[in-house]
Amino acid sequence: MTAHSTQLLVCMGSGGVGKTTTAAALALRAAQEGRKVCVVTIDPAKRLADALGVRGELSNEPSLVSNFGDGQLWAMMLDARQTFVDLIASTSTSAEQAERIHNNALFSSIARQLGGTQEYMAAEKLFQLHRDDRFDLVIVDTPPSREALNFLGAPNTLVRFLDHRVYRTFLAPARGGLKIVSAALTPIFKAVTRLVGADVITDVIGFFAAFEGLDQGFRDRAESINAVLRDRSTTYVVVTSPEAEPIREATFIIGELKRQNISLSAVICNAMTPDFGVATTNDHIASPRHAAVHQQLSERRLREVTRLDSLRETVGGDVKVATVDLMAHDVTSLDGLTTIASALEGIAERRA
Amino acid sequence: MTVDDVFASSRTIIVAGKGGVGKTTVSAALACAAARRGLRVLFVELDGKPIPTELTSGDGHITTMSLTAGDALVDYLEHHGLGRLAKRFASTGILDVIAAAAPGLDDLLVLGRIKALDRASDHDLIVVDGPAAGHALTFLRVAHGIRGGIRSGLIATQAAEVGEFLADHARCSVVMVTLPATTPVTETVDTALAIEDEIGIALGPIVVNRVLPDDDTTGETCTSEAMRRSVEFYRSRRQLQLESIETLQTLLPLSRITLPDVDSPNVVESLTTALLENETR
């Protein structure tokens, strides 16, 4: 018997394009189709919690939002720091080692804000959920990022850090106190001490010492996560809005995915100006002020459609491009999400 | 209060706002508007993004500059007699580790460079297109006790000086850009309160970008279904905007500059004109 494996769907895109709402709508639709879905959000707006009907805060563990017959919709909000702490606890060889790492000032900084930590933990969480047999499908909303690659390169974050030349200078091959002392006497460290003081150096040395023996474990884990992210059954969706800047960003992300040989399954363009249909010349003459509004919106839609067409060319014919019209009201209920979801048919389908 | 009061209030203006609110466009328009008033303007871009072409093809009043943490570091080391070491730092990569140990070091160096530009007085106004997406608070907080805990050394001195610069209302203020929608408004209020209370930085007016103008169709009869539906939609979107502007005003009673929703290739130009005509409320 093979281990349980959940389909993964990754939403990418720049900030402010409705990525979180899209992820929730896709999850809702799959749940309504009878699947067991978990949506992982990074920084859900309160509005989204409202839309999902979730009272109070979402936590770092999935909680059941709603049942739809056999289908289930779960949601969780990534807590990067907590996920990191859990990861350290499960990887450490002893409770003492885990505690030494937790108590190190450098670890706290890294857990909070080493470049890419949030992406790293999103990938880690996705990997955990991938093996969780409560779910058929996990949808993750990646942190907004100028570099689409941040997410895909994220699993190697800690490995890269532990591989650091400084680390090797300190701890390998002569692991032990003497080596550390001699390194600290080099001119470069004296200069760093002059810049940032001796405390920082002590923290750095303590950090690398606390991780002793764990690097292989983290390396193996990074490899497993990378394999899952690049597995053909993992689906990538790029979300955008029809404004010039987000379209440029989406074009860039799509190019990067292609370059990395990762197949894109759909592009979703949110907040399109709706098509209100045409008006006659007589109507224009009879109601010039109405006509001005109508024309403004029509022209806007035309510009949006043109931008989207150029994006379609980048994407190629075999990738679905779905559009979702801007709604007259904010999405604040499951009903609102259902309306969005209806435009997204076929995107979170089961893979054969 | 007019945009001229904004230009007069402090030499350095740091423009902050989340991704997607039009921060770079608004920064560029502020720079253009100031230049059109005859001020010598320095536009500083922080994220390595391309500088808007409206600023580089200009009339000589605007100087532009891309500032990265790496540049700022080299600059800093050279000014402190450590230039010789800059290269070796880069080759050993030790700075990545130190930067992780002392989070915010990169931000601090960037702010230190801005402080130096301010002190040099070569420009009447420095517009800083602030850091992207949610990073603004971390960025501005940095001097306030450099969080990883640098308690001694040259950098600690630098942090103290940057802290003084940020808190000096005659030298530095923050202009926040937001959109008239629920989530951006909530986030702006939270960030603004933190900037003022926690860090003591002066807040300039809040720029509310992409506001739909009044549709002006009241009382006009209309027989076209397409037109009627488009007006209905427009009004409903505008109503949502007005509600969130009201929320903003209640929670954050600061002066405000509203800028129109422009969807054309000449956004910077349109916003510059709007800024010069706009009275803040």
Side-chain angles (χ1 to χ4, degrees):
Chain A
M1 205 177 121
T2 54
H4 173 83
S5 158
T6 306
Q7 187 194 332
L8 302 178
L9 191 153
V10 181
C11 293
M12 290 185 161
S14 47
V17 298
K19 201 153 31 96
T20 310
T21 308
T22 302
L26 286 170
L28 175 65
R29 179 158 188 104
Q32 285 168 338
E33 283 167 355
R35 304 175 72 188
K36 294 178 176 60
V37 192
C38 180
V39 58
V40 183
T41 72
I42 304 300
D43 180 22
K46 186 182 165 298
R47 190 158 61 88
L48 177 83
D50 290 348
L52 287 171
V54 183
R55 298 271 171 272
E57 298 274 304
L58 293 169
S59 79
N60 197 38
E61 293 301 323
S63 56
L64 182 63
V65 174
S66 216
N67 282 293
F68 302 91
D70 289 342
Q72 291 177 345
L73 176 60
W74 298 65
M76 61 157 283
M77 172 180 149
L78 181 76
D79 177 340
R81 195 190 143 71
Q82 188 56 48
T83 307
F84 213 152
V85 168
D86 294 346
L87 176 64
I88 296 292
S90 69
T91 319
S92 298
T93 47
S94 66
E96 290 75 37
Q97 184 175 31
E99 195 163 328
R100 263 204 313 280
I101 297 173
H102 290 169
N103 293 337
N104 182 274
L106 178 51
F107 173 74
S108 309
S109 317
I110 289 175
R112 236 187 354 246
Q113 63 167 42
L114 173 69
T117 295
Q118 211 178 31
E119 284 90 347
Y120 179 25
M121 287 305 117
E124 167 65 29
K125 200 68 186 183
L126 196 59
F127 181 67
Q128 292 172 12
L129 294 170
H130 172 65
R131 299 194 294 194
D132 190 326
D133 58 13
R134 287 176 293 176
F135 311 118
D136 307 324
L137 172 67
V138 172
I139 298 182
V140 68
D141 159 29
T142 59
S145 152
R146 291 195 62 226
E147 299 281 339
L149 297 177
N150 283 1
F151 182 73
L152 293 165
N156 299 321
T157 305
L158 191 61
V159 172
R160 261 200 313 271
F161 199 78
L162 291 179
D163 266 351
H164 217 282
R165 224 150 119 184
V166 173
Y167 171 59
R168 284 185 272 140
T169 313
F170 279 145
L171 298 172
R175 300 182 184 247
L178 274 175
K179 183 78 182 176
I180 290 172
V181 171
S182 62
L185 291 173
T186 59
I188 195 154
F189 275 87
K190 283 190 199 151
V192 173
T193 307
R194 193 178 150 208
L195 273 179
V196 295
D199 307 348
V200 171
I201 305 285
T202 313
D203 288 343
V204 170
I205 292 170
F207 175 80
F208 285 116
F211 266 91
E212 190 166 350
L214 295 187
D215 40 341
Q216 192 54 45
F218 281 104
R219 211 179 308 277
D220 294 346
R221 189 150 188 107
E223 240 164 67
S224 313
I225 300 177
N226 279 327
V228 168
L229 290 181
R230 284 169 173 76
D231 192 281
R232 299 310 280 181
S233 71
T234 298
T235 311
Y236 288 81
V237 170
V238 170
V239 185
T240 186
S241 70
E243 280 111 42
E245 184 54 38
I247 293 267
R248 267 197 295 278
E249 195 69 17
T251 309
F252 173 78
I253 294 174
I254 291 162
E256 287 298 326
L257 289 175
K258 261 189 196 158
R259 215 173 51 78
Q260 293 211 23
N261 203 19
I262 287 172
S263 82
L264 172 71
S265 69
V267 175
I268 298 170
C269 182
N270 281 322
M272 291 283 289
T273 303
D275 182 3
F276 295 103
V278 293
T280 66
T281 314
N282 280 345
D283 293 329
H284 277 258
I285 295 164
S287 338
R289 284 174 286 158
H290 277 77
V293 173
H294 179 258
Q295 190 175 344
Q296 186 194 332
L297 292 179
S298 305
E299 283 171 2
R300 174 171 293 226
R301 181 175 168 87
L302 192 64
R303 280 191 295 268
E304 293 173 355
V305 168
T306 310
R307 284 186 208 123
L308 202 54
D309 282 345
S310 72
L311 183 67
R312 273 201 182 89
E313 271 173 40
T314 314
V315 170
D318 47 343
V319 175
K320 183 182 171 76
V321 178
T323 60
V324 180
D325 280 352
L326 184 62
M327 294 199 280
H329 303 282
D330 280 349
V331 177
T332 50
S333 66
L334 278 181
D335 285 350
L337 272 188
T338 305
T339 313
I340 295 178
S342 63
L344 303 178
E345 198 178 337
I347 289 176
E349 296 284 82
R350 278 183 189 81
R351 284 288 174 97
Chain B
M1 195 185 189
T2 67
V3 75
D4 296 296
D5 300 323
V6 179
F7 298 151
S9 64
S10 65
R11 191 201 309 272
T12 299
I13 297 175
I14 298 175
V15 183
K18 270 210 137 180
V21 300
K23 179 171 58 67
T24 298
T25 319
V26 171
S27 304
L30 277 168
C32 286
R36 224 164 279 181
R37 290 288 200 241
L39 301 177
R40 291 165 306 153
V41 184
L42 173 65
F43 179 88
V44 182
E45 169 58 56
L46 295 188
D47 283 330
K49 280 181 295 185
I51 292 186
T53 50
E54 290 86 348
L55 300 177
T56 48
S57 57
D59 46 11
H61 278 303
I62 304 176
T63 315
T64 62
M65 168 177 197
S66 275
L67 184 55
T68 67
D71 303 339
L73 174 71
V74 170
D75 198 78
Y76 179 85
L77 291 175
E78 277 168 4
H79 274 89
H80 289 81
L82 294 165
R84 208 165 36 86
L85 277 171
K87 234 187 208 141
R88 280 192 66 193
F89 276 169
S91 68
T92 51
I94 191 168
L95 271 164
D96 300 348
V97 175
I98 298 298
L105 188 60
D106 45 352
D107 292 343
L108 181 73
L109 290 165
V110 166
L111 280 167
R113 184 88 179 93
I114 294 169
K115 180 201 66 174
L117 290 165
D118 179 82
R119 183 168 289 168
S121 305
D122 294 335
H123 303 89
D124 302 317
L125 185 73
I126 300 175
V127 178
V128 181
D129 181 9
H135 186 47
L137 205 53
T138 331
F139 180 70
L140 296 170
R141 243 181 214 151
V142 69
H144 227 253
I146 220 181
R147 294 170 311 283
I150 298 187
R151 294 166 289 272
S152 56
L154 288 171
I155 296 287
T157 315
Q158 171 83 333
E161 286 173 18
V162 165
E164 272 171 39
F165 166 66
L166 291 176
D168 185 344
H169 297 191
R171 291 166 77 195
C172 176
S173 64
V174 169
V175 167
M176 294 196 63
V177 184
T178 190
L179 294 181
T182 317
T183 311
V185 160
T186 313
E187 285 165 357
T188 301
V189 171
D190 291 347
T191 309
L193 295 177
I195 286 178
E196 259 191 341
D197 299 348
E198 219 182 278
I199 321 179
I201 304 179
L203 277 180
I206 305 284
V207 175
V208 186
N209 197 16
R210 301 209 197 118
V211 177
L212 298 167
D214 187 4
D215 61 88
D216 194 29
T217 54
T218 314
E220 185 182 78
T221 55
C222 179
T223 49
S224 158
E225 181 60 19
M227 282 185 189
R228 215 170 30 226
R229 284 195 305 127
S230 62
V231 167
E232 208 173 284
F233 174 84
Y234 186 95
R235 283 190 167 173
S236 153
R237 293 302 309 178
R238 185 173 140 81
Q239 187 52 40
L240 285 177
Q241 291 196 342
L242 295 180
E243 282 163 19
S244 53
I245 291 174
E246 203 163 302
T247 309
L248 179 69
Q249 195 61 32
T250 312
L251 298 177
L252 202 64
L254 284 169
S255 60
R256 198 162 26 89
I257 297 180
T258 49
L259 292 176
D261 191 24
V262 182
D263 183 42
S264 82
N266 310 319
V267 188
V268 174
E269 175 58 35
S270 310
L271 293 189
T272 303
T273 313
L275 275 174
L276 292 173
E277 288 168 356
N278 214 311
E279 291 274 309
T280 62
R281 261 149 289 193

